[in-house]
Amino acid sequence: MDEHSAQNPLLRRDVGTSYAKKTPLFVSSAKWILKFVMWVIFFAWAAFIFLLPSEFMNDLYHKWIQSTRGTLFGVTGSIFLIFSGPILIIAFLSIAYIIISGEEELHGKKTSIYPSFRLWTFPVLVDGPFGVVSATELIGIILFLAYVIWAVYAYTMSILSFMSDQFSFKYKSILMLEFLGLRFGSIGLYCMAFLFLPVARGSFLLRLIDIPFEHATRYHVWLGHLTMLLFTLHGLFYVIGWAMDGRLLEEILEWKDIGVANLAGVISLLAGLFMWVTSLPPVRKKNFELFFYTHQLYVVFVIFFALHVGDFIFSMAAGGIFLFMLDRFLRFCQSRRTVDIISAKCLPCGTVELVLSKPGNLRYNALSFIFLQVRDLSWLQWHPFSVSSSPLDGKHHLSVLIKVLGEWTAQLKGKISDDELLKELGVQPNTRITASVEGPYGHEVPYHLMYENLILVAGGIGLSPFLAILSDTLHRVREGKPCLPRNILVIWAVKKSNELPLLSTIDMESICPLFSDKINLQIEIYVTRESEPPLEEGYNHKAIKPSLCPMSSEYGMSVLVGTGNNIWSGLYVISSTIGFVILVSLLDIFYINPYSVLSWWYKGLLLVACMLASVFIFGGLVVGLWHLCEQKNSSREKCGEINVHKMEDNNTPAHRDSSNESLVKSTIVRYGSRPDFAEIFGSISESWGHVDVGVIVCGPPTLQSSVAKEIRLLNIRRERHHPIFHFNSHSFDL
């Protein structure tokens, strides 16, 4: 085995090849204009919300409302245009931006020869309630907190200036509590305008700023805590004020036609509190299913929230909720397809590898997630998994590695083991394993290809996405596609040596013969709970041969996904939005205005109904056409292009042996120790020179914190000839 270690790390090899494609001038100009307009709209919208508590902006806002009151859409249309309109306009512009960008190889551009810090990849906070927080994320947190503090201060000063010495202390207290309760509710409403945006998995907004769903989920969690805290204070202050005035029960049960419906607000708040409590880490980690099921109460929360505040107040947060509805309906349509599991095997460590059938035109990046449902096990449970294969491994399949951690994964492993046992006995299983899939979701641009120097730090099954990175890099090097990585260090910590066969699930030598001549690859493995190899040193275990099923594009994953065809996705969003405007117009012209419908709660319900109907009717029409187009395309790429036997050949022992020989030369296995990141990164700082180093971590929070802490320390204390480390995490934690 090679005796190199982290003390003698990879030597940097300068690669002068530039893969950047020259973008036509008109395309670059159009993208620049679109981006400029989007930033102007966003900053104007954010500034308006931030300054709204001030007397000047509040007066300006009410003048706008008064001047547009007589229009077709009335006050609701005016408020929707100000608060939700900018989000939808930016979404439309982002559709145009992404379509214009097309398949442009952004990751093929060579990074600057002068390494520099980036706010997005510089870890600032490491230990704390937020986990690892980058400089950009910290700025966002500070801005949100600053807005809440400023708004509470401005509204408090406003009510204090209204108080008169003639009021009794009790009346002043009740008035103060109800006013602050109202304002906490309005601040929570503005936060709610952002709350649903991060969980629209295929949203053009997330793709525009290149935020993958696993990162966006964190922002949804943070916003959820803040929003529910504000709404809880909103309800609590009102309850205390009503109790002091002796009208608590009367107010709670009140359901006004003109004004807010208190009982609907109580129901909405209770649903939100159930979701909030079960989403807290102690509950979520111990009982994920309870968290998952109670989180479906968001339907009750949103509907009764609309009944509580009425149409025009609900329209303040309607933009983000509408985009979430669009994404949710598309996910529902995609998940109706039954997908063949064309290969299933159990590795010695108990990890399950599944290979899923997919159509050739379904795009994804190496660092992607899918959500998987196996209906034989549960009709309700969906679980996220990292894709362990590269999109270049094959047009018609993708792979995931699943570690047995709970009841669902244990049942899945048991079913696969039972089927394998039956086949060994010569008995064919009664049914094949099928699944439903949502996704893939991930970065719009594969950022791992933007670094010439990569450090991949994995803990246990966290190696899964890095297998995809290695495979993707080797394919691209072999085929001459855009790919910067040339120095790759893999640091993998596992508990026991029986997990080592995970590394053998890709055949590096078969993908890129003599890859060691083209890429400096070094793998450091730390087996933490064994002091020595059980039998022999290494990882030359024989993986169980997969059982392959006949594969047909008819049973592959559906391409009805927000990250799929940009033109169809864009038409879906635009048609649904236009349909929403048409339905609201018809409702106003033929029902609300002629019949003088005034009930706030009823108009709020009608607004939600229009949002849902526009997605189902207008968006559903586009989805139906998209589905027909997909069927036509899939009929053209029937089984003729798919060679199952080739997949079988790639798993023969001969290929495994050649791959293992190459891996052994660049792999070190250490027993009874953990990675010393101070020593590893310190050695790299001295040896790699003044370069950008991309560090990607996939593993438990403690591992991420340890790596981020070391990177932060080295970047702060770095000398001019040392590298700049860029921290990226790739861990999915709902």
Side-chain angles (χ1 to χ4, degrees), residues 420-443:
E420 289 175 343
L421 181 59
L422 288 175
K423 290 178 181 179
E424 289 178 4
L425 296 175
V427 179
Q428 189 66 24
N430 293 331
T431 58
R432 66 175 186 268
I433 304 176
T434 59
S436 296
V437 176
E438 291 182 5
Y441 305 102
H443 274 278

PDB file of all heavy atoms in Angstrom, residues 420-443:
ATOM      1  N   GLU A 420     -33.468 -11.695  -2.762  1.00  0.00           N
ATOM      2  CA  GLU A 420     -32.200 -12.314  -3.150  1.00  0.00           C
ATOM      3  C   GLU A 420     -32.139 -13.767  -2.695  1.00  0.00           C
ATOM      4  O   GLU A 420     -31.635 -14.638  -3.410  1.00  0.00           O
ATOM      5  CB  GLU A 420     -31.038 -11.513  -2.566  1.00  0.00           C
ATOM      6  CG  GLU A 420     -30.843 -10.152  -3.226  1.00  0.00           C
ATOM      7  CD  GLU A 420     -29.759  -9.338  -2.556  1.00  0.00           C
ATOM      8  OE1 GLU A 420     -29.387  -9.672  -1.413  1.00  0.00           O
ATOM      9  OE2 GLU A 420     -29.286  -8.379  -3.179  1.00  0.00           O
ATOM     10  N   LEU A 421     -32.655 -14.027  -1.500  1.00  0.00           N
ATOM     11  CA  LEU A 421     -32.658 -15.397  -0.983  1.00  0.00           C
ATOM     12  C   LEU A 421     -33.535 -16.298  -1.847  1.00  0.00           C
ATOM     13  O   LEU A 421     -33.169 -17.440  -2.150  1.00  0.00           O
ATOM     14  CB  LEU A 421     -33.155 -15.401   0.466  1.00  0.00           C
ATOM     15  CG  LEU A 421     -33.197 -16.764   1.174  1.00  0.00           C
ATOM     16  CD1 LEU A 421     -31.811 -17.393   1.212  1.00  0.00           C
ATOM     17  CD2 LEU A 421     -33.756 -16.622   2.580  1.00  0.00           C
ATOM     18  N   LEU A 422     -34.696 -15.775  -2.265  1.00  0.00           N
ATOM     19  CA  LEU A 422     -35.574 -16.566  -3.128  1.00  0.00           C
ATOM     20  C   LEU A 422     -34.900 -16.885  -4.458  1.00  0.00           C
ATOM     21  O   LEU A 422     -35.023 -18.005  -4.978  1.00  0.00           O
ATOM     22  CB  LEU A 422     -36.880 -15.803  -3.371  1.00  0.00           C
ATOM     23  CG  LEU A 422     -37.855 -15.703  -2.190  1.00  0.00           C
ATOM     24  CD1 LEU A 422     -39.034 -14.812  -2.549  1.00  0.00           C
ATOM     25  CD2 LEU A 422     -38.353 -17.084  -1.781  1.00  0.00           C
ATOM     26  N   LYS A 423     -34.181 -15.912  -5.009  1.00  0.00           N
ATOM     27  CA  LYS A 423     -33.502 -16.135  -6.288  1.00  0.00           C
ATOM     28  C   LYS A 423     -32.387 -17.166  -6.142  1.00  0.00           C
ATOM     29  O   LYS A 423     -32.142 -17.967  -7.054  1.00  0.00           O
ATOM     30  CB  LYS A 423     -32.945 -14.812  -6.820  1.00  0.00           C
ATOM     31  CG  LYS A 423     -34.039 -13.853  -7.284  1.00  0.00           C
ATOM     32  CD  LYS A 423     -33.460 -12.536  -7.769  1.00  0.00           C
ATOM     33  CE  LYS A 423     -34.573 -11.591  -8.200  1.00  0.00           C
ATOM     34  NZ  LYS A 423     -34.070 -10.290  -8.665  1.00  0.00           N
ATOM     35  N   GLU A 424     -31.684 -17.139  -5.002  1.00  0.00           N
ATOM     36  CA  GLU A 424     -30.645 -18.146  -4.775  1.00  0.00           C
ATOM     37  C   GLU A 424     -31.240 -19.547  -4.694  1.00  0.00           C
ATOM     38  O   GLU A 424     -30.601 -20.536  -5.065  1.00  0.00           O
ATOM     39  CB  GLU A 424     -29.888 -17.815  -3.484  1.00  0.00           C
ATOM     40  CG  GLU A 424     -29.001 -16.588  -3.587  1.00  0.00           C
ATOM     41  CD  GLU A 424     -28.312 -16.284  -2.268  1.00  0.00           C
ATOM     42  OE1 GLU A 424     -28.481 -17.077  -1.327  1.00  0.00           O
ATOM     43  OE2 GLU A 424     -27.597 -15.259  -2.208  1.00  0.00           O
ATOM     44  N   LEU A 425     -32.488 -19.634  -4.217  1.00  0.00           N
ATOM     45  CA  LEU A 425     -33.175 -20.927  -4.120  1.00  0.00           C
ATOM     46  C   LEU A 425     -33.873 -21.302  -5.426  1.00  0.00           C
ATOM     47  O   LEU A 425     -34.531 -22.347  -5.507  1.00  0.00           O
ATOM     48  CB  LEU A 425     -34.215 -20.880  -2.986  1.00  0.00           C
ATOM     49  CG  LEU A 425     -33.662 -20.674  -1.570  1.00  0.00           C
ATOM     50  CD1 LEU A 425     -34.797 -20.519  -0.575  1.00  0.00           C
ATOM     51  CD2 LEU A 425     -32.749 -21.836  -1.177  1.00  0.00           C
ATOM     52  N   GLY A 426     -33.739 -20.445  -6.444  1.00  0.00           N
ATOM     53  CA  GLY A 426     -34.336 -20.731  -7.737  1.00  0.00           C
ATOM     54  C   GLY A 426     -35.795 -20.356  -7.841  1.00  0.00           C
ATOM     55  O   GLY A 426     -36.490 -20.788  -8.766  1.00  0.00           O
ATOM     56  N   VAL A 427     -36.283 -19.547  -6.903  1.00  0.00           N
ATOM     57  CA  VAL A 427     -37.685 -19.122  -6.907  1.00  0.00           C
ATOM     58  C   VAL A 427     -37.754 -17.653  -7.311  1.00  0.00           C
ATOM     59  O   VAL A 427     -37.070 -16.814  -6.719  1.00  0.00           O
ATOM     60  CB  VAL A 427     -38.338 -19.328  -5.519  1.00  0.00           C
ATOM     61  CG1 VAL A 427     -39.784 -18.863  -5.558  1.00  0.00           C
ATOM     62  CG2 VAL A 427     -38.226 -20.775  -5.087  1.00  0.00           C
ATOM     63  N   GLN A 428     -38.554 -17.351  -8.305  1.00  0.00           N
ATOM     64  CA  GLN A 428     -38.703 -15.970  -8.747  1.00  0.00           C
ATOM     65  C   GLN A 428     -39.671 -15.227  -7.831  1.00  0.00           C
ATOM     66  O   GLN A 428     -40.779 -15.712  -7.579  1.00  0.00           O
ATOM     67  CB  GLN A 428     -39.227 -15.927 -10.187  1.00  0.00           C
ATOM     68  CG  GLN A 428     -39.209 -14.548 -10.822  1.00  0.00           C
ATOM     69  CD  GLN A 428     -37.808 -14.001 -11.028  1.00  0.00           C
ATOM     70  OE1 GLN A 428     -36.849 -14.760 -11.114  1.00  0.00           O
ATOM     71  NE2 GLN A 428     -37.683 -12.689 -11.082  1.00  0.00           N
ATOM     72  N   PRO A 429     -39.306 -14.053  -7.278  1.00  0.00           N
ATOM     73  CA  PRO A 429     -40.222 -13.285  -6.425  1.00  0.00           C
ATOM     74  C   PRO A 429     -41.514 -12.948  -7.157  1.00  0.00           C
ATOM     75  O   PRO A 429     -41.528 -12.760  -8.376  1.00  0.00           O
ATOM     76  CB  PRO A 429     -39.418 -12.026  -6.097  1.00  0.00           C
ATOM     77  CG  PRO A 429     -37.997 -12.402  -6.314  1.00  0.00           C
ATOM     78  CD  PRO A 429     -37.996 -13.410  -7.421  1.00  0.00           C
ATOM     79  N   ASN A 430     -42.593 -12.899  -6.407  1.00  0.00           N
ATOM     80  CA  ASN A 430     -43.909 -12.640  -7.009  1.00  0.00           C
ATOM     81  C   ASN A 430     -43.987 -11.261  -7.652  1.00  0.00           C
ATOM     82  O   ASN A 430     -44.592 -11.081  -8.695  1.00  0.00           O
ATOM     83  CB  ASN A 430     -45.005 -12.778  -5.948  1.00  0.00           C
ATOM     84  CG  ASN A 430     -45.159 -14.204  -5.468  1.00  0.00           C
ATOM     85  OD1 ASN A 430     -44.894 -15.139  -6.222  1.00  0.00           O
ATOM     86  ND2 ASN A 430     -45.566 -14.378  -4.221  1.00  0.00           N
ATOM     87  N   THR A 431     -43.404 -10.274  -7.016  1.00  0.00           N
ATOM     88  CA  THR A 431     -43.489  -8.899  -7.522  1.00  0.00           C
ATOM     89  C   THR A 431     -42.102  -8.273  -7.547  1.00  0.00           C
ATOM     90  O   THR A 431     -41.247  -8.579  -6.718  1.00  0.00           O
ATOM     91  CB  THR A 431     -44.401  -8.023  -6.639  1.00  0.00           C
ATOM     92  OG1 THR A 431     -43.896  -8.030  -5.296  1.00  0.00           O
ATOM     93  CG2 THR A 431     -45.829  -8.554  -6.659  1.00  0.00           C
ATOM     94  N   ARG A 432     -41.904  -7.387  -8.529  1.00  0.00           N
ATOM     95  CA  ARG A 432     -40.651  -6.640  -8.564  1.00  0.00           C
ATOM     96  C   ARG A 432     -40.798  -5.394  -7.687  1.00  0.00           C
ATOM     97  O   ARG A 432     -41.900  -4.920  -7.435  1.00  0.00           O
ATOM     98  CB  ARG A 432     -40.303  -6.242  -9.988  1.00  0.00           C
ATOM     99  CG  ARG A 432     -41.257  -5.245 -10.618  1.00  0.00           C
ATOM    100  CD  ARG A 432     -40.753  -4.823 -11.987  1.00  0.00           C
ATOM    101  NE  ARG A 432     -41.563  -3.774 -12.567  1.00  0.00           N
ATOM    102  CZ  ARG A 432     -42.597  -3.975 -13.354  1.00  0.00           C
ATOM    103  NH1 ARG A 432     -42.964  -5.207 -13.642  1.00  0.00           N
ATOM    104  NH2 ARG A 432     -43.284  -2.956 -13.860  1.00  0.00           N
ATOM    105  N   ILE A 433     -39.667  -4.860  -7.247  1.00  0.00           N
ATOM    106  CA  ILE A 433     -39.685  -3.671  -6.400  1.00  0.00           C
ATOM    107  C   ILE A 433     -39.828  -2.438  -7.283  1.00  0.00           C
ATOM    108  O   ILE A 433     -39.093  -2.261  -8.251  1.00  0.00           O
ATOM    109  CB  ILE A 433     -38.396  -3.573  -5.563  1.00  0.00           C
ATOM    110  CG1 ILE A 433     -38.197  -4.846  -4.743  1.00  0.00           C
ATOM    111  CG2 ILE A 433     -38.436  -2.363  -4.654  1.00  0.00           C
ATOM    112  CD1 ILE A 433     -36.901  -4.863  -3.973  1.00  0.00           C
ATOM    113  N   THR A 434     -40.785  -1.600  -6.953  1.00  0.00           N
ATOM    114  CA  THR A 434     -40.978  -0.340  -7.667  1.00  0.00           C
ATOM    115  C   THR A 434     -40.974   0.805  -6.662  1.00  0.00           C
ATOM    116  O   THR A 434     -41.082   0.592  -5.453  1.00  0.00           O
ATOM    117  CB  THR A 434     -42.300  -0.331  -8.456  1.00  0.00           C
ATOM    118  OG1 THR A 434     -43.381  -0.523  -7.535  1.00  0.00           O
ATOM    119  CG2 THR A 434     -42.316  -1.434  -9.502  1.00  0.00           C
ATOM    120  N   ALA A 435     -40.852   2.009  -7.174  1.00  0.00           N
ATOM    121  CA  ALA A 435     -40.787   3.186  -6.304  1.00  0.00           C
ATOM    122  C   ALA A 435     -41.441   4.364  -7.000  1.00  0.00           C
ATOM    123  O   ALA A 435     -41.711   4.340  -8.208  1.00  0.00           O
ATOM    124  CB  ALA A 435     -39.343   3.507  -5.950  1.00  0.00           C
ATOM    125  N   SER A 436     -41.696   5.399  -6.232  1.00  0.00           N
ATOM    126  CA  SER A 436     -42.089   6.690  -6.770  1.00  0.00           C
ATOM    127  C   SER A 436     -40.989   7.683  -6.408  1.00  0.00           C
ATOM    128  O   SER A 436     -40.376   7.579  -5.342  1.00  0.00           O
ATOM    129  CB  SER A 436     -43.431   7.149  -6.180  1.00  0.00           C
ATOM    130  OG  SER A 436     -44.465   6.266  -6.560  1.00  0.00           O
ATOM    131  N   VAL A 437     -40.740   8.623  -7.304  1.00  0.00           N
ATOM    132  CA  VAL A 437     -39.589   9.514  -7.144  1.00  0.00           C
ATOM    133  C   VAL A 437     -40.023  10.958  -7.359  1.00  0.00           C
ATOM    134  O   VAL A 437     -40.833  11.253  -8.237  1.00  0.00           O
ATOM    135  CB  VAL A 437     -38.472   9.145  -8.153  1.00  0.00           C
ATOM    136  CG1 VAL A 437     -37.316  10.131  -8.050  1.00  0.00           C
ATOM    137  CG2 VAL A 437     -37.972   7.726  -7.906  1.00  0.00           C
ATOM    138  N   GLU A 438     -39.496  11.842  -6.535  1.00  0.00           N
ATOM    139  CA  GLU A 438     -39.578  13.284  -6.762  1.00  0.00           C
ATOM    140  C   GLU A 438     -38.162  13.807  -6.906  1.00  0.00           C
ATOM    141  O   GLU A 438     -37.305  13.550  -6.071  1.00  0.00           O
ATOM    142  CB  GLU A 438     -40.276  13.994  -5.601  1.00  0.00           C
ATOM    143  CG  GLU A 438     -41.762  13.696  -5.495  1.00  0.00           C
ATOM    144  CD  GLU A 438     -42.422  14.468  -4.368  1.00  0.00           C
ATOM    145  OE1 GLU A 438     -41.733  15.308  -3.737  1.00  0.00           O
ATOM    146  OE2 GLU A 438     -43.611  14.231  -4.105  1.00  0.00           O
ATOM    147  N   GLY A 439     -37.916  14.558  -7.963  1.00  0.00           N
ATOM    148  CA  GLY A 439     -36.584  15.106  -8.187  1.00  0.00           C
ATOM    149  C   GLY A 439     -36.038  14.648  -9.533  1.00  0.00           C
ATOM    150  O   GLY A 439     -36.782  14.173 -10.384  1.00  0.00           O
ATOM    151  N   PRO A 440     -34.730  14.774  -9.740  1.00  0.00           N
ATOM    152  CA  PRO A 440     -33.688  15.211  -8.792  1.00  0.00           C
ATOM    153  C   PRO A 440     -33.682  16.727  -8.594  1.00  0.00           C
ATOM    154  O   PRO A 440     -34.102  17.488  -9.452  1.00  0.00           O
ATOM    155  CB  PRO A 440     -32.391  14.757  -9.469  1.00  0.00           C
ATOM    156  CG  PRO A 440     -32.796  13.884 -10.624  1.00  0.00           C
ATOM    157  CD  PRO A 440     -34.164  14.318 -11.015  1.00  0.00           C
ATOM    158  N   TYR A 441     -33.155  17.122  -7.428  1.00  0.00           N
ATOM    159  CA  TYR A 441     -32.970  18.526  -7.074  1.00  0.00           C
ATOM    160  C   TYR A 441     -31.514  18.733  -6.676  1.00  0.00           C
ATOM    161  O   TYR A 441     -30.889  17.854  -6.102  1.00  0.00           O
ATOM    162  CB  TYR A 441     -33.867  18.926  -5.906  1.00  0.00           C
ATOM    163  CG  TYR A 441     -35.329  18.631  -6.132  1.00  0.00           C
ATOM    164  CD1 TYR A 441     -35.935  17.527  -5.540  1.00  0.00           C
ATOM    165  CD2 TYR A 441     -36.106  19.457  -6.936  1.00  0.00           C
ATOM    166  CE1 TYR A 441     -37.278  17.250  -5.747  1.00  0.00           C
ATOM    167  CE2 TYR A 441     -37.454  19.191  -7.148  1.00  0.00           C
ATOM    168  CZ  TYR A 441     -38.031  18.081  -6.547  1.00  0.00           C
ATOM    169  OH  TYR A 441     -39.349  17.814  -6.760  1.00  0.00           O
ATOM    170  N   GLY A 442     -31.006  19.912  -6.961  1.00  0.00           N
ATOM    171  CA  GLY A 442     -29.628  20.197  -6.580  1.00  0.00           C
ATOM    172  C   GLY A 442     -29.185  21.534  -7.124  1.00  0.00           C
ATOM    173  O   GLY A 442     -30.001  22.371  -7.537  1.00  0.00           O
ATOM    174  N   HIS A 443     -27.886  21.754  -7.148  1.00  0.00           N
ATOM    175  CA  HIS A 443     -27.331  22.987  -7.688  1.00  0.00           C
ATOM    176  C   HIS A 443     -27.643  23.108  -9.172  1.00  0.00           C
ATOM    177  O   HIS A 443     -27.599  22.119  -9.906  1.00  0.00           O
ATOM    178  CB  HIS A 443     -25.811  23.015  -7.490  1.00  0.00           C
ATOM    179  CG  HIS A 443     -25.390  23.547  -6.171  1.00  0.00           C
ATOM    180  ND1 HIS A 443     -25.288  24.887  -5.911  1.00  0.00           N
ATOM    181  CD2 HIS A 443     -25.039  22.928  -5.025  1.00  0.00           C
ATOM    182  CE1 HIS A 443     -24.884  25.077  -4.660  1.00  0.00           C
ATOM    183  NE2 HIS A 443     -24.730  23.891  -4.101  1.00  0.00           N
TER     184      HIS A 443
END
